[in-house]
Structure formats: C-alpha cells, structure tokens
Amino acid sequence: MMHRSGPGEPKAPSPCLHLVGTGHPPCGVGDFAGQLVEALRRQGQPQETLVLAPGRVPLGEIWRAVGKSRAVIANLPVVAWKRALSGPPAAFAVALLRRRRRVAILHEWGGMHRLRRLVLRPLLLLADTVVLLSPQVREELAADPVIGRLARRAVMMPLPPNITRPGTTVASALSERMRAAREEGRLVLGHFGSIYPGKQPEAILDIAAVLKARGADPLVVFIGSFIRASDGIEEIFWNKVAALGLAETVVVSGYVASPEELFGLFDAVDAFAYVLPEGLTARRASILACVQAGRPVIVTEPARADEFDHHPRFRALLTGGAIVLAPGGAGPETYADLALAASARPTLPPALDRRAWFADAARSLRDALG
C-alpha cells in the first residue's frame, strides 16, 4: 500500500529529472551525470533519469516525467546527443510550459566544434540556471555573440575525478611493452583522454620529436581514442607522426574499458604531458585521473588567477607538487626539459576520495536550485 503523508507529516520532495544519453561506452560527461545522480541520492535527494535517444522524442513520456519533477537537469555536451537534436530541447520546453526549473551543466564551450555549439544554443536559451565547471568556460561563454549574456548569471561547480585508482591493476600487452621500454632506459611519456584538437595532440608529438633528437628514445603513449568528427584529427595526427619519423615512437591505445587495465598503463608511465592553449582549467578531469598514478603531470599553467577559487581540492593538488606547471606559450623544448627532470623525481599517488569530491558537486547543485 502506498503511504500518503498525513496532515502533520512533511511532504516528500519532488525528484529532479536528469536527461541522459545512450552512449556505449558512456562519454566522460555522461559518466559524470550518472555519478552526480548517485551523489545526490546519497544526500537523501530523490532523483530520476530519462533516457533520450537519437531519433526519438517521446513527448508523452517527457510530459509525464517532467510533471513529477521539480527540476530538469542536462549535462552538456553528451556525445550521444550529437544526433539527438530535438529530444533535450523538447524536454526543456516542456519544463518551461510546466513551470519547472531547467538546469544546464555546461562542461565546455570554446573548445567544441562550432556545429555542436549551434545545436546546444537553443537548449541553453531554455535554461533558467546555467552551471559551469571553470571560470575559463565562463569567459568563453561570455564571448559568444548569441548567448554570451548567460555567463553573467552562471554558477560554478567543482569537478570531481572521473575515475579513481582501483585496489588492483591488470597488466596488458601495451603495459608490458611500456615496462620493457623503461627497463631499456627509454622515457615513457603518457597522455590520457580523448584525442581531439582542443587538447593539442600534435604538440605532444613535437615534444616527442625533441626528446628523440636529444637521444632520449622516448615511447609516447596516448591512452585513449580519437573523437570521430569532421575535423579529420586522426588523419592529421598520423600524417604528422609519419612526417616527424615517430612511427616507432608513438602508440595510441584506443578505448580502455576497465580502471584496472587503465591504471596498469598509468603505472608504466614516467611522466604525463599536456599542452593546453587555454592553460590548465578546473574542468580537466583527465589531469585528476593522471595524478593518481603517482607520476608527475606536466601541464600548461592556468591562464586565470581565479581559475581554482571555487575548487579547493583541485587547488591543493597544485600546491602539493603532483602537477608540474609549464609557462604559458612555452615550446616543446621546455616540456622536454620538464619531462626529463620530472621522470627522475619520486612522487606518491595522492589519495582522492571520489565520493567526497562528488558530494561537493552535489551540494553546489543543491545550492543552485535553492
């Protein structure tokens, strides 16, 4: 029998409705959305999800689900929504009609392909609350000629790690190759995450070329896979590998399914490197993953002094030495110097409590909802 609240009992709060995609495997943003739902539930907040697949706009289902909710929440950009052009805006439009809150958690902006920004603008215009993960993203959004005004009322959320170090690791053919390279005295340079232009993968190839010219005989391992898009990044990448004579130096792992195998690869890395044109920002979850290997992570210094003001846990990693900052605008020679020096420096993996980090994110969303 369903329990009904009596006259003196508090009414149970209506749930928030989270719009999710159908990606298999889920993209980083999709995984974040699922973890955020669980964190909110652990804090006693009722949460529901609604799957929106490409080519399917179940208006009746959307209408009923929105009607039972106090807010509709979407994390953007979800990779699986590249072809789901009408479902998410339809859900926000229904929420507007039914006078429900509409929350867009925007993970990036300026680094996205212009066509993806074009698709997301209507959804953002329908939102009454925009949540951002980085002041840099707020600056990029403010510069948008169509929706820049949304940046003025955006609120900030601290980004948790997308993965945490498991209790055990699993060896693979690639990790064994990396370990063998280290035993031969080669420098193993790592780079983790999806490969796309915004992360400047070609700059990592320039670092590899400098290290090779110095006789370091590096093995450069991109732990991740290419994002399929119209920019032709994969072809550009491999053409540059060939032009620089790095065919025996550069390896791309492809998608790694389990944290155990992933950290098996991380443990065979001497140092990680990231060359970011916008500098290190608070939305770089790949950096939070890499530091848990206990190896130095070399990354371009933040461009903004206030970049981590909303994120004290991330700021502590910067002051604790887990992250080695390279000057903005530095060339591959500087990164090569830092990689050679950092690889010889012993470090310890910082203990990151993923639940605590997600609890911070959940509380910031609750504050935004009021």
Side-chain angles (χ1 to χ4, degrees):
M1 174 181 281
M2 182 181 295
H3 173 76
R4 297 183 183 275
S5 299
E9 297 182 49
K11 185 179 179 181
S14 299
C16 291
L17 179 67
H18 296 256
L19 308 180
V20 298
T22 56
H24 297 288
C27 65
V29 175
D31 179 70
F32 170 91
Q35 294 292 332
L36 182 61
V37 168
E38 292 306 313
L40 288 162
R41 285 172 177 164
R42 285 194 292 269
Q43 294 179 3
Q45 303 298 303
Q47 310 293 312
E48 299 293 340
T49 59
L50 177 63
V51 177
L52 294 178
R56 179 173 175 264
V57 186
L59 287 176
E61 184 179 353
I62 290 172
W63 182 270
R64 290 187 295 273
V66 169
K68 298 174 183 176
S69 308
R70 69 186 185 99
V72 179
I73 300 168
N75 280 270
L76 310 170
V78 173
V79 171
W81 283 350
K82 285 190 291 185
R83 293 179 291 112
L85 304 184
S86 53
F92 267 33
V94 169
L96 177 62
L97 286 172
R98 305 204 69 169
R99 298 184 179 181
R100 301 304 194 266
R101 296 288 299 274
R102 294 140 346 257
V103 181
I105 303 175
L106 187 62
H107 290 241
E108 60 177 309
W109 189 248
M112 281 192 287
H113 193 282
R114 59 182 180 82
L115 293 178
R116 296 191 78 183
R117 293 198 298 270
L118 181 66
V119 169
L120 292 178
R121 282 192 186 101
L123 191 59
L124 290 166
L125 286 170
L126 286 167
D128 60 24
T129 303
V130 176
V131 179
L132 304 175
L133 304 176
S134 158
Q136 178 68 35
V137 176
R138 181 172 56 201
E139 187 174 285
E140 295 169 357
L141 184 63
D144 189 282
V146 180
I147 60 172
R149 67 183 185 279
L150 299 179
R152 292 195 295 269
R153 55 183 174 85
V155 297
M156 304 300 299
M157 171 187 286
L159 178 70
N162 55 354
I163 54 174
T164 50
R165 186 179 185 93
T168 59
T169 60
V170 173
S172 62
L174 179 54
S175 69
E176 292 300 324
R177 177 181 175 184
M178 294 162 69
R179 292 183 187 281
R182 292 179 73 185
E183 290 173 1
E184 294 167 4
R186 301 176 68 182
L187 173 71
V188 178
L189 190 67
H191 183 91
F192 167 64
S194 299
I195 305 170
Y196 59 95
K199 288 175 73 174
Q200 300 224 113
E202 293 176 81
I204 305 299
L205 300 181
D206 291 331
I207 298 169
V210 170
L211 289 168
K212 185 175 181 180
R214 293 184 183 181
D217 192 19
L219 178 64
V220 181
V221 182
F222 288 79
I223 304 171
S225 56
F226 293 93
I227 288 183
R228 308 285 180 185
S230 58
D231 47 45
I233 181 61
E234 186 169 3
E235 182 179 2
I236 294 169
F237 179 92
W238 289 117
N239 284 343
K240 183 161 185 173
V241 167
L244 293 175
L246 298 174
E248 301 301 318
T249 299
V250 174
V251 178
V252 175
S253 72
Y255 177 72
V256 180
S258 74
E260 291 78 11
E261 183 180 347
L262 185 64
F263 276 87
L265 296 171
F266 282 6
D267 286 346
V269 168
D270 286 307
F272 294 88
Y274 290 84
V275 182
L276 304 174
E278 75 280 12
L280 176 62
T281 64
R283 71 175 189 84
R284 288 292 177 185
S286 52
I287 304 298
L288 297 176
C290 291
V291 296
Q292 296 174 75
R295 304 305 303 142
V297 183
I298 304 157
V299 61
T300 314
E301 66 183 357
R304 298 177 58 97
D306 65 346
E307 181 61 37
F308 297 93
D309 284 357
H310 71 293
H311 205 329
R313 294 185 192 274
F314 206 142
R315 190 170 60 242
L317 294 176
L318 290 169
T319 58
I323 298 171
V324 178
L325 297 177
E333 294 82 5
T334 298
Y335 284 86
D337 290 339
L338 291 171
L340 290 168
S343 64
R345 177 169 61 85
T347 57
L348 292 173
L352 303 187
D353 184 345
R354 191 184 189 193
R355 280 199 171 196
W357 288 55
F358 265 103
D360 292 346
R363 279 191 290 271
S364 70
L365 179 58
R366 291 173 62 183
D367 290 344
L369 287 170

